Amino acid sequence: MGKASIDHSQIQLEENIPLTDSELNNINVQRKGFFKDAPGILLAVIILIILIACYLLKDEFINFKYYHYILFFCVASALYAFFYLIMYLVYMYFVQNWERDIRNGKNILKSIITSRHTTENDEYILTFSGRNKDEKIKLPVSKDDYLRYKTGMQVVVVYLKHSKVVLSLEELEIPISDQY
């Protein structure tokens, strides 16, 4: 089965549209909630790892000297610091994307869905045709949107470019070719 040809001249992309107050508030809520519980969860996991190590070493504690306990504490602290640093770097990556989205605004794309797929982590991805022949825009969507929109449908998608967040997705009532 061959692919249908797409008239890329009819694909419309409006970029750098300012965000509304509700969209800005939504980004701020995400920013505040992203890293809030992470240190506590990480501490609980490290304590669990320490308890497992203590259980496995229970017969060796007889031979432990004071410096073994200090070393054990230092290793646990280094493990906590290492994983905290990784979480902080991931958080800073998302913060940079949010700041770029706030600065640059949102994009509105009138396009055609060229493909759909899911990932191993149950992410639902729709691929939209870009303005150029080889340009593809892949965005994660909700499961409802994934099931509602099929390949070949003409849609209007409003999204944040750097965060890859779809703000709205609607089917075009008037086909792209009939708008001119």
Side-chain angles (χ1 to χ4, degrees):
M1 180 165 98
K3 289 188 176 184
S5 66
I6 298 171
D7 186 7
H8 292 280
S9 64
Q10 294 180 354
I11 305 296
Q12 298 174 7
L13 177 63
E14 298 175 41
E15 297 179 302
N16 303 330
I17 299 168
L19 297 172
T20 63
D21 289 336
S22 64
E23 292 165 343
L24 289 172
N25 289 337
N26 188 19
I27 290 174
N28 287 330
V29 166
Q30 286 179 349
R31 182 185 296 183
K32 290 177 184 174
F34 185 85
F35 202 63
K36 183 175 75 172
D37 297 330
I41 292 170
L42 179 61
L43 184 63
V45 169
I46 296 295
I47 289 173
L48 181 65
I49 291 171
I50 290 171
L51 291 174
I52 291 170
C54 289
Y55 177 74
L56 295 174
L57 295 172
K58 66 182 174 187
D59 296 332
E60 301 294 325
F61 279 130
I62 298 168
N63 301 329
F64 270 32
K65 307 288 187 234
Y66 72 92
Y67 53 85
H68 289 111
Y69 293 106
I70 293 172
L71 181 63
F72 200 72
F73 178 76
C74 290
V75 167
S77 298
L79 199 59
Y80 180 82
F82 174 72
F83 286 117
Y84 188 86
L85 176 66
I86 289 174
M87 286 189 325
Y88 183 74
L89 291 174
V90 169
Y91 173 71
M92 291 309 297
Y93 171 76
F94 281 103
V95 166
Q96 286 179 343
N97 284 341
W98 289 325
E99 287 174 354
R100 281 191 254 158
D101 283 332
I102 290 171
R103 190 172 48 248
N104 295 332
K106 60 188 172 187
N107 294 346
I108 298 177
L109 175 67
K110 294 178 183 174
S111 182
I112 298 170
I113 299 174
T114 57
S115 69
R116 314 165 51 213
H117 69 277
T118 59
T119 64
E120 294 174 356
N121 300 327
D122 284 338
E123 275 189 315
Y124 300 95
I125 309 292
L126 292 179
T127 304
F128 304 93
S129 178
R131 292 181 290 187
N132 302 321
K133 182 179 180 181
D134 295 328
E135 184 180 8
K136 297 177 183 175
I137 300 170
K138 294 183 179 187
L139 296 171
V141 295
S142 67
K143 184 176 182 179
D144 293 336
D145 286 340
Y146 181 80
L147 296 173
R148 184 179 313 129
Y149 299 104
K150 305 295 181 201
T151 302
M153 293 181 83
Q154 297 176 346
V155 295
V156 176
V157 60
V158 179
Y159 67 98
L160 299 175
K161 182 177 183 178
H162 301 286
S163 299
K164 300 286 186 190
V165 174
V166 173
L167 301 175
S168 71
L169 180 62
E170 299 172 0
E171 184 176 3
L172 270 176
E173 274 129 46
I174 302 171
I176 292 174
S177 59
D178 294 342
Q179 290 181 357
Y180 299 104

